[in-house]
Amino acid sequence: MHNNVKKLALVSAVAAAAWASQASAGGYQINEQSVSGQGYGHAGRSSNVNDATIVFGNPAGMSFLDRAQITAGGTYLNPKTKISNVEASRTLDSGVALGGAPNGVQVPVGAIPGTNEGDMVPGTLVPFAFYAHPVNERLAFGFGVYAPFGSKTDYEKNFQGRYFGDYTEVTVMTAQPTVSYRFNDQWSVGVGVTYNKVDGELRRQLPSGPAFSAATDIDSRVEGDDEAWGYNLGVIYQPVPETTFGLTYRSKVDYTLEGSFAATDPFGNVVRSDPNASLDLTTPETVNFSVTQQMSDRLKLMFGTSWVRWSQFDEIRVTGTVGDVITQETQDYTNAWAFATGGEYQLTPELALRAGLTLDYTPTSDEHRSVRIPSDDRRIFSIGAGWTPIPDLTLDVAYSYLTERGTHVEQQRRDLLASAATGGAAVGGANYAADYKNEAHGFGAQLTYRF
Protein backbone atom coordinates (compact mmCIF):
# COMPACT_ATOMS: atom_id res chain seq x y z
CA MET A 1 0.00 0.00 0.00
CA HIS A 2 2.94 2.29 0.68
CA ASN A 3 4.10 2.27 -2.94
CA ASN A 4 0.57 2.83 -4.26
CA VAL A 5 -0.10 5.73 -1.93
CA LYS A 6 3.24 7.30 -2.78
CA LYS A 7 2.51 6.98 -6.48
CA LEU A 8 -0.84 8.65 -6.07
CA ALA A 9 0.55 11.62 -4.20
CA LEU A 10 3.59 12.22 -6.36
CA VAL A 11 1.83 11.86 -9.71
CA SER A 12 -0.64 14.46 -8.46
CA ALA A 13 2.22 16.70 -7.44
CA VAL A 14 3.82 16.63 -10.85
CA ALA A 15 0.63 17.22 -12.78
CA ALA A 16 -0.50 20.08 -10.60
CA ALA A 17 2.93 21.71 -10.42
CA ALA A 18 3.30 21.52 -14.17
CA TRP A 19 -0.03 23.26 -14.71
CA ALA A 20 0.33 25.82 -12.02
CA SER A 21 3.91 26.71 -12.76
CA GLN A 22 3.30 27.64 -16.36
CA ALA A 23 -0.43 27.91 -16.99
CA SER A 24 -0.17 30.25 -19.94
CA ALA A 25 -3.02 28.45 -21.68
CA GLY A 26 -5.53 26.15 -20.09
CA GLY A 27 -5.97 25.81 -16.35
CA TYR A 28 -6.62 28.84 -14.19
CA GLN A 29 -4.25 31.29 -15.81
CA ILE A 30 -2.54 33.93 -13.72
CA ASN A 31 -1.90 36.75 -16.15
CA GLU A 32 -2.31 39.64 -13.74
CA GLN A 33 0.95 41.59 -13.54
CA SER A 34 -0.55 44.89 -14.74
CA VAL A 35 -3.96 46.42 -14.12
CA SER A 36 -3.44 49.08 -16.79
CA GLY A 37 -2.72 46.21 -19.22
CA GLN A 38 -5.66 44.20 -17.89
CA GLY A 39 -8.01 46.95 -19.06
CA TYR A 40 -7.15 46.30 -22.73
CA GLY A 41 -6.76 42.51 -22.36
CA HIS A 42 -2.94 42.70 -22.24
CA ALA A 43 -3.05 43.18 -26.01
CA GLY A 44 -0.08 45.55 -25.95
CA ARG A 45 1.90 43.69 -23.30
CA SER A 46 5.23 43.89 -25.18
CA SER A 47 4.74 47.20 -27.00
CA ASN A 48 2.64 49.61 -24.94
CA VAL A 49 4.84 51.50 -22.47
CA ASN A 50 2.37 52.82 -19.93
CA ASP A 51 4.01 52.53 -16.49
CA ALA A 52 6.54 50.51 -14.48
CA THR A 53 4.70 47.23 -15.17
CA ILE A 54 6.61 47.20 -18.47
CA VAL A 55 9.40 45.61 -16.38
CA PHE A 56 7.40 42.39 -16.75
CA GLY A 57 5.77 43.06 -20.12
CA ASN A 58 8.98 43.88 -21.99
CA PRO A 59 12.23 44.83 -20.24
CA ALA A 60 13.27 46.89 -23.29
CA GLY A 61 10.41 49.29 -22.62
CA MET A 62 11.90 50.85 -19.49
CA SER A 63 14.19 53.09 -21.54
CA PHE A 64 11.09 54.67 -23.15
CA LEU A 65 9.90 56.00 -19.77
CA ASP A 66 10.71 59.66 -19.15
CA ARG A 67 11.26 59.44 -15.38
CA ALA A 68 11.49 57.05 -12.44
CA GLN A 69 8.26 55.52 -11.21
CA ILE A 70 6.83 52.82 -9.01
CA THR A 71 3.68 50.82 -9.76
CA ALA A 72 1.99 48.54 -7.25
CA GLY A 73 -1.38 46.86 -7.12
CA GLY A 74 -3.22 43.60 -7.55
CA THR A 75 -6.16 41.76 -9.05
CA TYR A 76 -8.73 39.81 -7.09
CA LEU A 77 -9.80 36.68 -8.98
CA ASN A 78 -13.20 35.16 -8.18
CA PRO A 79 -13.71 31.89 -10.13
CA LYS A 80 -16.95 29.92 -10.35
CA THR A 81 -17.41 26.30 -11.45
CA LYS A 82 -20.47 24.17 -12.18
CA ILE A 83 -20.22 20.37 -12.28
CA SER A 84 -22.91 18.32 -14.03
CA ASN A 85 -23.64 14.92 -15.61
CA VAL A 86 -21.55 13.12 -13.02
CA GLU A 87 -20.80 9.41 -13.16
CA ALA A 88 -18.76 8.09 -10.22
CA SER A 89 -18.47 4.37 -9.60
CA ARG A 90 -16.26 1.99 -7.67
CA THR A 91 -14.95 -1.42 -8.60
CA LEU A 92 -13.83 -4.37 -6.50
CA ASP A 93 -11.94 -7.55 -7.24
CA SER A 94 -14.62 -10.13 -7.99
CA GLY A 95 -12.94 -12.72 -5.80
CA VAL A 96 -12.85 -10.36 -2.83
CA ALA A 97 -16.44 -9.24 -3.51
CA LEU A 98 -17.54 -12.86 -3.09
CA GLY A 99 -15.58 -13.20 0.14
CA GLY A 100 -12.63 -15.06 -1.33
CA ALA A 101 -9.07 -14.37 -2.43
CA PRO A 102 -8.21 -11.81 -5.13
CA ASN A 103 -8.44 -13.13 -8.68
CA GLY A 104 -7.26 -10.02 -10.54
CA VAL A 105 -10.61 -9.16 -12.12
CA GLN A 106 -12.37 -5.98 -10.98
CA VAL A 107 -16.11 -5.55 -11.45
CA PRO A 108 -18.51 -2.64 -10.77
CA VAL A 109 -20.03 -2.74 -7.29
CA GLY A 110 -21.91 0.57 -7.10
CA ALA A 111 -21.55 4.34 -6.97
CA ILE A 112 -18.95 6.26 -4.97
CA PRO A 113 -20.79 8.05 -2.14
CA GLY A 114 -20.36 11.81 -2.27
CA THR A 115 -21.26 15.21 -3.68
CA ASN A 116 -20.30 17.58 -6.53
CA GLU A 117 -20.81 21.11 -5.25
CA GLY A 118 -18.38 22.83 -7.63
CA ASP A 119 -16.92 26.30 -6.93
CA MET A 120 -13.80 24.59 -5.64
CA VAL A 121 -11.49 27.52 -6.52
CA PRO A 122 -11.45 30.12 -3.72
CA GLY A 123 -11.12 33.83 -4.42
CA THR A 124 -7.49 34.94 -4.55
CA LEU A 125 -5.65 38.28 -4.58
CA VAL A 126 -2.70 38.38 -7.01
CA PRO A 127 -0.35 41.25 -6.00
CA PHE A 128 2.60 42.84 -7.81
CA ALA A 129 5.07 45.74 -7.48
CA PHE A 130 7.50 47.23 -10.02
CA TYR A 131 10.08 50.00 -10.03
CA ALA A 132 11.67 51.52 -13.16
CA HIS A 133 14.47 54.11 -13.13
CA PRO A 134 15.74 55.76 -16.33
CA VAL A 135 19.38 56.71 -15.66
CA ASN A 136 19.62 58.82 -18.81
CA GLU A 137 18.03 58.94 -22.26
CA ARG A 138 19.44 55.51 -23.15
CA LEU A 139 19.94 53.43 -20.01
CA ALA A 140 17.33 52.29 -17.48
CA PHE A 141 17.18 49.89 -14.54
CA GLY A 142 14.18 48.22 -12.94
CA PHE A 143 12.98 45.62 -10.47
CA GLY A 144 9.79 43.65 -10.07
CA VAL A 145 8.16 41.27 -7.61
CA TYR A 146 5.12 39.34 -8.80
CA ALA A 147 3.30 35.99 -8.87
CA PRO A 148 3.44 34.74 -12.47
CA PHE A 149 1.84 31.34 -11.93
CA GLY A 150 -0.35 29.63 -9.36
CA SER A 151 -3.27 27.33 -8.83
CA LYS A 152 -5.63 26.34 -6.06
CA THR A 153 -8.53 23.92 -6.01
CA ASP A 154 -10.25 22.91 -2.77
CA TYR A 155 -13.16 20.49 -3.12
CA GLU A 156 -15.61 19.62 -0.37
CA LYS A 157 -14.77 16.68 1.92
CA ASN A 158 -17.33 14.36 0.28
CA PHE A 159 -16.38 15.18 -3.32
CA GLN A 160 -17.04 12.13 -5.50
CA GLY A 161 -13.78 12.62 -7.40
CA ARG A 162 -11.68 12.83 -4.23
CA TYR A 163 -9.64 9.74 -5.15
CA PHE A 164 -8.21 11.67 -8.11
CA GLY A 165 -7.45 14.87 -6.15
CA ASP A 166 -9.34 17.07 -3.71
CA TYR A 167 -6.86 19.83 -2.86
CA THR A 168 -4.16 21.54 -4.94
CA GLU A 169 -2.20 24.65 -4.05
CA VAL A 170 0.92 25.73 -5.92
CA THR A 171 2.35 29.24 -5.87
CA VAL A 172 5.31 30.69 -7.76
CA MET A 173 6.82 33.99 -6.58
CA THR A 174 9.32 35.81 -8.78
CA ALA A 175 11.81 38.62 -8.24
CA GLN A 176 13.25 40.22 -11.38
CA PRO A 177 16.09 42.77 -11.66
CA THR A 178 16.09 44.29 -15.14
CA VAL A 179 18.15 46.55 -17.38
CA SER A 180 17.38 48.11 -20.77
CA TYR A 181 19.34 50.14 -23.29
CA ARG A 182 18.00 52.37 -26.06
CA PHE A 183 20.30 52.57 -29.08
CA ASN A 184 18.40 55.35 -30.83
CA ASP A 185 14.87 56.65 -31.37
CA GLN A 186 13.82 53.37 -33.00
CA TRP A 187 15.51 50.49 -31.16
CA SER A 188 15.72 49.37 -27.54
CA VAL A 189 16.70 46.08 -25.90
CA GLY A 190 16.36 44.74 -22.38
CA VAL A 191 17.12 41.74 -20.21
CA GLY A 192 15.77 40.57 -16.87
CA VAL A 193 16.99 37.80 -14.58
CA THR A 194 14.27 35.96 -12.68
CA TYR A 195 14.60 34.25 -9.32
CA ASN A 196 11.65 31.90 -8.88
CA LYS A 197 10.42 30.11 -5.76
CA VAL A 198 7.71 27.43 -5.98
CA ASP A 199 5.74 26.02 -3.03
CA GLY A 200 3.08 23.37 -3.26
CA GLU A 201 0.72 21.19 -1.27
CA LEU A 202 -1.33 18.48 -2.93
CA ARG A 203 -3.85 16.06 -1.48
CA ARG A 204 -6.04 13.19 -2.55
CA GLN A 205 -8.06 10.64 -0.60
CA LEU A 206 -7.63 6.88 -0.50
CA PRO A 207 -10.45 4.49 0.42
CA SER A 208 -9.72 2.29 3.43
CA GLY A 209 -12.48 -0.24 2.72
CA PRO A 210 -14.85 -1.52 0.02
CA ALA A 211 -17.56 0.97 1.05
CA PHE A 212 -15.43 3.93 -0.17
CA SER A 213 -16.79 6.10 2.66
CA ALA A 214 -15.41 9.62 3.03
CA ALA A 215 -15.61 9.21 6.81
CA THR A 216 -12.95 6.48 6.74
CA ASP A 217 -10.76 7.71 3.88
CA ILE A 218 -7.00 8.05 4.29
CA ASP A 219 -5.70 11.56 3.61
CA SER A 220 -2.69 11.40 1.26
CA ARG A 221 -0.69 14.58 0.82
CA VAL A 222 2.66 15.78 -0.46
CA GLU A 223 4.43 19.09 0.19
CA GLY A 224 7.48 20.41 -1.59
CA ASP A 225 9.36 23.45 -2.84
CA ASP A 226 12.27 24.54 -4.99
CA GLU A 227 14.11 27.62 -6.21
CA ALA A 228 15.28 28.20 -9.77
CA TRP A 229 16.57 30.90 -12.10
CA GLY A 230 15.37 32.07 -15.49
CA TYR A 231 15.58 35.13 -17.70
CA ASN A 232 13.59 37.46 -19.95
CA LEU A 233 14.72 39.15 -23.15
CA GLY A 234 12.95 41.99 -24.91
CA VAL A 235 13.25 44.26 -27.93
CA ILE A 236 11.21 47.27 -29.03
CA TYR A 237 11.21 48.76 -32.51
CA GLN A 238 9.51 52.10 -33.18
CA PRO A 239 9.84 52.92 -36.90
CA VAL A 240 7.71 56.05 -36.47
CA PRO A 241 6.46 57.69 -33.26
CA GLU A 242 2.92 56.39 -33.87
CA THR A 243 3.85 52.71 -34.28
CA THR A 244 5.58 50.45 -31.75
CA PHE A 245 6.48 46.78 -32.12
CA GLY A 246 7.47 44.70 -29.10
CA LEU A 247 8.88 41.18 -28.75
CA THR A 248 9.53 39.39 -25.45
CA TYR A 249 11.07 36.00 -24.76
CA ARG A 250 10.70 34.28 -21.37
CA SER A 251 13.00 31.35 -20.81
CA LYS A 252 12.13 27.88 -19.62
CA VAL A 253 12.74 27.25 -15.92
CA ASP A 254 14.13 23.97 -14.61
CA TYR A 255 12.90 22.82 -11.20
CA THR A 256 13.76 19.82 -9.05
CA LEU A 257 11.00 19.64 -6.50
CA GLU A 258 11.90 17.91 -3.25
CA GLY A 259 9.42 17.25 -0.50
CA SER A 260 7.79 14.88 1.92
CA PHE A 261 4.81 12.58 1.78
CA ALA A 262 2.38 11.39 4.49
CA ALA A 263 -0.80 9.33 4.52
CA THR A 264 -2.95 9.83 7.63
CA ASP A 265 -6.06 7.97 8.79
CA PRO A 266 -9.17 9.76 10.15
CA PHE A 267 -7.83 9.46 13.73
CA GLY A 268 -4.60 11.32 12.94
CA ASN A 269 -2.37 8.25 12.77
CA VAL A 270 0.32 8.32 10.10
CA VAL A 271 -0.18 5.19 8.05
CA ARG A 272 2.77 5.72 5.69
CA SER A 273 5.34 8.45 5.12
CA ASP A 274 8.38 9.19 2.99
CA PRO A 275 10.65 12.19 3.72
CA ASN A 276 12.38 12.04 0.33
CA ALA A 277 10.79 12.14 -3.09
CA SER A 278 11.74 14.24 -6.09
CA LEU A 279 10.78 15.12 -9.63
CA ASP A 280 12.38 17.12 -12.41
CA LEU A 281 10.09 19.66 -13.99
CA THR A 282 10.87 21.98 -16.92
CA THR A 283 8.36 24.71 -17.69
CA PRO A 284 8.39 25.81 -21.33
CA GLU A 285 9.57 29.04 -22.87
CA THR A 286 7.12 31.75 -23.94
CA VAL A 287 7.23 34.29 -26.76
CA ASN A 288 4.99 37.37 -26.83
CA PHE A 289 4.66 39.77 -29.76
CA SER A 290 2.50 42.87 -29.83
CA VAL A 291 2.01 46.10 -31.76
CA THR A 292 0.65 49.43 -30.54
CA GLN A 293 -0.69 51.92 -33.09
CA GLN A 294 -1.50 55.52 -32.17
CA MET A 295 -4.52 56.22 -34.40
CA SER A 296 -5.04 59.83 -33.27
CA ASP A 297 -4.18 62.11 -30.38
CA ARG A 298 -6.79 60.29 -28.28
CA LEU A 299 -7.06 56.75 -29.63
CA LYS A 300 -4.55 53.92 -29.76
CA LEU A 301 -5.15 50.31 -30.72
CA MET A 302 -3.19 47.19 -29.77
CA PHE A 303 -2.84 43.61 -30.92
CA GLY A 304 -0.82 40.83 -29.30
CA THR A 305 -0.13 37.14 -29.56
CA SER A 306 1.64 34.67 -27.26
CA TRP A 307 3.13 31.27 -28.01
CA VAL A 308 4.09 28.67 -25.40
CA ARG A 309 6.30 25.72 -26.26
CA TRP A 310 4.27 23.13 -24.39
CA SER A 311 5.27 20.35 -26.82
CA GLN A 312 8.44 19.72 -24.80
CA PHE A 313 6.26 18.55 -21.89
CA ASP A 314 5.56 15.04 -23.14
CA GLU A 315 5.87 12.94 -19.99
CA ILE A 316 5.78 12.90 -16.19
CA ARG A 317 8.68 11.10 -14.53
CA VAL A 318 8.86 10.74 -10.75
CA THR A 319 11.74 9.08 -8.88
CA GLY A 320 11.88 7.73 -5.35
CA THR A 321 14.44 7.78 -2.57
CA VAL A 322 16.96 5.51 -4.32
CA GLY A 323 16.29 6.84 -7.81
CA ASP A 324 13.79 4.18 -8.85
CA VAL A 325 11.12 5.25 -11.33
CA ILE A 326 7.84 5.56 -9.46
CA THR A 327 5.78 6.54 -12.47
CA GLN A 328 6.24 7.53 -16.09
CA GLU A 329 3.19 8.85 -17.92
CA THR A 330 2.79 10.27 -21.40
CA GLN A 331 1.30 13.79 -21.54
CA ASP A 332 1.69 14.66 -25.23
CA TYR A 333 1.02 18.41 -24.90
CA THR A 334 0.84 20.62 -27.97
CA ASN A 335 2.14 24.15 -28.39
CA ALA A 336 -0.43 26.75 -27.31
CA TRP A 337 -1.41 30.17 -28.67
CA ALA A 338 -3.24 33.16 -27.25
CA PHE A 339 -4.46 36.24 -29.13
CA ALA A 340 -5.59 39.62 -27.81
CA THR A 341 -6.86 42.90 -29.21
CA GLY A 342 -7.69 46.08 -27.36
CA GLY A 343 -7.67 49.84 -27.31
CA GLU A 344 -7.36 52.93 -25.16
CA TYR A 345 -9.23 56.22 -25.59
CA GLN A 346 -8.05 59.39 -23.85
CA LEU A 347 -11.43 60.88 -22.97
CA THR A 348 -9.90 63.87 -21.14
CA PRO A 349 -6.32 64.78 -20.22
CA GLU A 350 -6.95 63.10 -16.87
CA LEU A 351 -9.08 60.07 -17.84
CA ALA A 352 -8.29 57.16 -20.20
CA LEU A 353 -10.82 54.42 -21.03
CA ARG A 354 -9.80 50.89 -22.10
CA ALA A 355 -11.31 47.66 -23.45
CA GLY A 356 -9.97 44.36 -24.76
CA LEU A 357 -10.69 40.78 -25.82
CA THR A 358 -8.43 37.75 -25.36
CA LEU A 359 -8.70 34.24 -26.85
CA ASP A 360 -6.58 31.67 -25.00
CA TYR A 361 -6.21 28.08 -26.21
CA THR A 362 -5.38 25.06 -24.07
CA PRO A 363 -2.51 22.64 -24.88
CA THR A 364 -4.25 19.62 -23.36
CA SER A 365 -6.58 16.95 -24.69
CA ASP A 366 -9.62 15.31 -23.15
CA GLU A 367 -7.54 12.20 -22.50
CA HIS A 368 -5.29 13.91 -19.92
CA ARG A 369 -7.63 16.44 -18.30
CA SER A 370 -8.07 15.96 -14.53
CA VAL A 371 -10.24 17.14 -11.63
CA ARG A 372 -7.29 19.17 -10.33
CA ILE A 373 -7.27 21.63 -13.26
CA PRO A 374 -10.44 20.95 -15.31
CA SER A 375 -10.07 23.80 -17.80
CA ASP A 376 -10.34 24.36 -21.55
CA ASP A 377 -10.15 27.13 -24.17
CA ARG A 378 -11.11 30.51 -22.77
CA ARG A 379 -12.37 33.94 -23.76
CA ILE A 380 -11.63 37.01 -21.63
CA PHE A 381 -13.53 40.31 -21.92
CA SER A 382 -11.93 43.33 -20.20
CA ILE A 383 -12.63 46.98 -19.50
CA GLY A 384 -10.63 49.52 -17.54
CA ALA A 385 -9.79 53.14 -16.85
CA GLY A 386 -6.81 55.23 -15.84
CA TRP A 387 -7.22 58.45 -13.86
CA THR A 388 -4.34 60.94 -13.52
CA PRO A 389 -5.49 63.76 -11.20
CA ILE A 390 -1.94 65.16 -11.04
CA PRO A 391 1.03 64.48 -13.37
CA ASP A 392 2.85 62.45 -10.68
CA LEU A 393 0.01 60.07 -9.84
CA THR A 394 -2.20 57.62 -11.78
CA LEU A 395 -4.87 55.27 -10.47
CA ASP A 396 -5.83 52.37 -12.75
CA VAL A 397 -8.80 50.06 -12.34
CA ALA A 398 -9.99 47.14 -14.48
CA TYR A 399 -12.59 44.39 -14.65
CA SER A 400 -12.32 41.13 -16.60
CA TYR A 401 -14.82 38.37 -17.25
CA LEU A 402 -13.39 34.98 -18.21
CA THR A 403 -15.54 32.22 -19.63
CA GLU A 404 -14.28 28.81 -20.66
CA ARG A 405 -15.65 26.34 -23.12
CA GLY A 406 -17.51 23.59 -21.31
CA THR A 407 -15.20 20.64 -20.85
CA HIS A 408 -15.32 16.99 -19.87
CA VAL A 409 -13.22 15.11 -17.34
CA GLU A 410 -13.01 11.33 -17.36
CA GLN A 411 -10.59 9.42 -15.12
CA GLN A 412 -10.16 5.94 -13.75
CA ARG A 413 -7.90 4.03 -11.35
CA ARG A 414 -7.38 0.35 -10.70
CA ASP A 415 -4.77 0.54 -7.92
CA LEU A 416 -6.80 1.15 -4.75
CA LEU A 417 -7.24 -0.85 -1.54
CA ALA A 418 -3.86 -2.55 -1.81
CA SER A 419 -2.58 -3.71 1.60
CA ALA A 420 -0.77 -6.50 3.39
CA ALA A 421 -4.14 -8.23 3.80
CA THR A 422 -4.46 -8.53 0.02
CA GLY A 423 -0.87 -9.61 -0.48
CA GLY A 424 -0.05 -6.22 -1.97
CA ALA A 425 -2.57 -6.67 -4.77
CA ALA A 426 -4.76 -3.73 -5.81
CA VAL A 427 -8.31 -5.01 -5.31
CA GLY A 428 -10.25 -1.75 -5.77
CA GLY A 429 -10.74 0.95 -8.36
CA ALA A 430 -12.61 4.18 -9.06
CA ASN A 431 -14.14 5.89 -12.09
CA TYR A 432 -15.10 9.56 -12.29
CA ALA A 433 -16.59 11.44 -15.24
CA ALA A 434 -18.23 14.88 -15.26
CA ASP A 435 -18.87 18.00 -17.30
CA TYR A 436 -17.27 21.23 -16.02
CA LYS A 437 -18.19 24.81 -16.85
CA ASN A 438 -15.80 27.46 -15.53
CA GLU A 439 -15.94 31.23 -15.37
CA ALA A 440 -14.11 33.91 -13.40
CA HIS A 441 -14.34 37.59 -12.53
CA GLY A 442 -11.22 39.72 -12.05
CA PHE A 443 -11.21 43.07 -10.22
CA GLY A 444 -7.94 45.02 -10.43
CA ALA A 445 -6.53 48.26 -9.03
CA GLN A 446 -3.04 49.75 -9.13
CA LEU A 447 -1.29 52.99 -8.24
CA THR A 448 1.62 54.56 -10.13
CA TYR A 449 3.76 57.31 -8.64
CA ARG A 450 6.35 59.17 -10.72
CA PHE A 451 9.40 60.80 -9.17
Side-chain angles (χ1 to χ4, degrees):
M1 182 173 179
H2 180 203
N3 287 337
N4 286 327
V5 173
K6 185 166 69 173
K7 289 179 185 179
L8 287 170
L10 289 175
V11 170
S12 300
V14 180
W19 274 111
S21 298
Q22 188 61 284
S24 292
Y28 291 96
Q29 179 179 6
I30 290 187
N31 204 32
E32 285 67 33
Q33 295 84 26
S34 171
V35 172
S36 54
Q38 180 186 346
Y40 43 77
H42 301 290
R45 165 153 277 175
S46 293
S47 58
N48 193 45
V49 183
N50 205 35
D51 48 48
T53 62
I54 197 65
V55 170
F56 174 84
N58 187 341
M62 293 189 305
S63 56
F64 281 81
L65 296 171
D66 57 0
R67 51 180 170 153
Q69 51 196 272
I70 184 170
T71 301
T75 297
Y76 179 78
L77 300 176
N78 183 27
K80 298 291 183 181
T81 300
K82 294 182 180 179
I83 304 176
S84 60
N85 301 321
V86 177
E87 296 180 6
S89 60
R90 53 195 171 94
T91 62
L92 192 64
D93 184 280
S94 58
V96 174
L98 294 174
N103 60 19
V105 179
Q106 292 188 18
V107 296
V109 293
I112 297 174
T115 58
N116 297 275
E117 295 178 0
D119 291 341
M120 68 285 184
V121 183
T124 303
L125 177 65
V126 184
F128 58 82
F130 298 95
Y131 175 73
H133 183 87
V135 177
N136 52 44
E137 293 181 354
R138 297 185 181 274
L139 182 66
F141 293 96
F143 187 81
V145 178
Y146 52 92
F149 317 112
S151 177
K152 185 173 183 179
T153 53
D154 187 7
Y155 289 90
E156 69 272 19
K157 177 178 173 57
N158 295 325
F159 172 52
Q160 280 188 290
R162 60 188 177 273
Y163 303 123
F164 302 93
D166 62 340
Y167 184 90
T168 303
E169 184 172 14
V170 182
T171 302
V172 179
M173 294 298 298
T174 297
Q176 178 187 319
T178 311
V179 61
S180 72
Y181 185 79
R182 187 171 181 177
F183 295 101
N184 49 45
D185 291 342
Q186 286 78 41
W187 290 96
S188 177
V189 297
V191 59
V193 178
T194 63
Y195 165 76
N196 309 279
K197 180 173 174 57
V198 58
D199 293 277
E201 179 179 352
L202 306 138
R203 309 174 194 167
R204 71 166 73 245
Q205 302 301 304
L206 297 173
S208 61
F212 283 50
S213 171
T216 59
D217 282 344
I218 295 172
D219 180 64
S220 170
R221 65 179 66 188
V222 63
E223 298 177 88
D225 58 64
D226 190 30
E227 302 171 3
W229 294 87
Y231 62 92
N232 298 342
L233 302 175
V235 59
I236 284 183
Y237 173 54
Q238 195 175 73
V240 294
E242 296 80 16
T243 305
T244 305
F245 298 94
L247 181 67
T248 305
Y249 171 85
R250 295 184 177 86
S251 74
K252 66 178 183 179
V253 179
D254 295 319
Y255 296 100
T256 299
L257 277 74
E258 298 180 348
S260 61
F261 156 77
T264 309
D265 68 17
F267 305 101
N269 302 310
V270 178
V271 179
R272 292 287 187 271
S273 65
D274 188 340
N276 298 300
S278 67
L279 60 95
D280 292 328
L281 175 66
T282 299
T283 57
E285 54 266 52
T286 302
V287 179
N288 178 271
F289 170 79
S290 69
V291 57
T292 298
Q293 179 65 47
Q294 192 76 44
M295 305 299 293
S296 67
D297 291 341
R298 295 192 174 190
L299 177 65
K300 61 181 173 182
L301 301 178
M302 288 152 277
F303 171 80
T305 182
S306 295
W307 177 82
V308 184
R309 193 186 173 192
W310 271 118
S311 59
Q312 68 179 358
F313 184 48
D314 57 4
E315 70 172 1
I316 292 173
R317 186 181 178 90
V318 184
T319 57
T321 302
V322 294
D324 57 311
V325 177
I326 295 174
T327 187
Q328 186 172 350
E329 299 182 5
T330 300
Q331 295 299 301
D332 195 26
Y333 279 27
T334 58
N335 297 330
W337 289 88
F339 303 92
T341 185
E344 179 179 280
Y345 185 77
Q346 196 71 41
L347 185 64
T348 70
E350 294 80 22
L351 182 62
L353 303 179
R354 305 173 181 126
L357 170 65
T358 304
L359 303 177
D360 196 355
Y361 297 96
T362 180
T364 61
S365 63
D366 293 342
E367 182 180 358
H368 303 297
R369 192 168 292 113
S370 77
V371 298
R372 289 195 180 273
I373 308 292
S375 67
D376 212 308
D377 298 340
R378 57 178 58 165
R379 291 174 295 170
I380 307 171
F381 305 90
S382 302
I383 57 173
W387 181 49
T388 307
I390 58 176
D392 295 339
L393 185 69
T394 298
L395 173 65
D396 295 286
V397 294
Y399 166 76
S400 297
Y401 172 69
L402 180 152
T403 179
E404 288 188 356
R405 185 177 67 177
T407 195
H408 184 71
V409 170
E410 187 168 350
Q411 296 179 265
Q412 61 177 337
R413 311 197 66 85
R414 292 294 181 267
D415 58 355
L416 304 177
L417 295 176
S419 67
T422 66
V427 300
N431 302 297
Y432 183 82
D435 293 329
Y436 280 73
K437 178 60 177 176
N438 303 312
E439 65 177 14
H441 303 270
F443 306 89
Q446 75 177 34
L447 191 68
T448 297
Y449 183 77
R450 304 171 185 85
F451 300 93

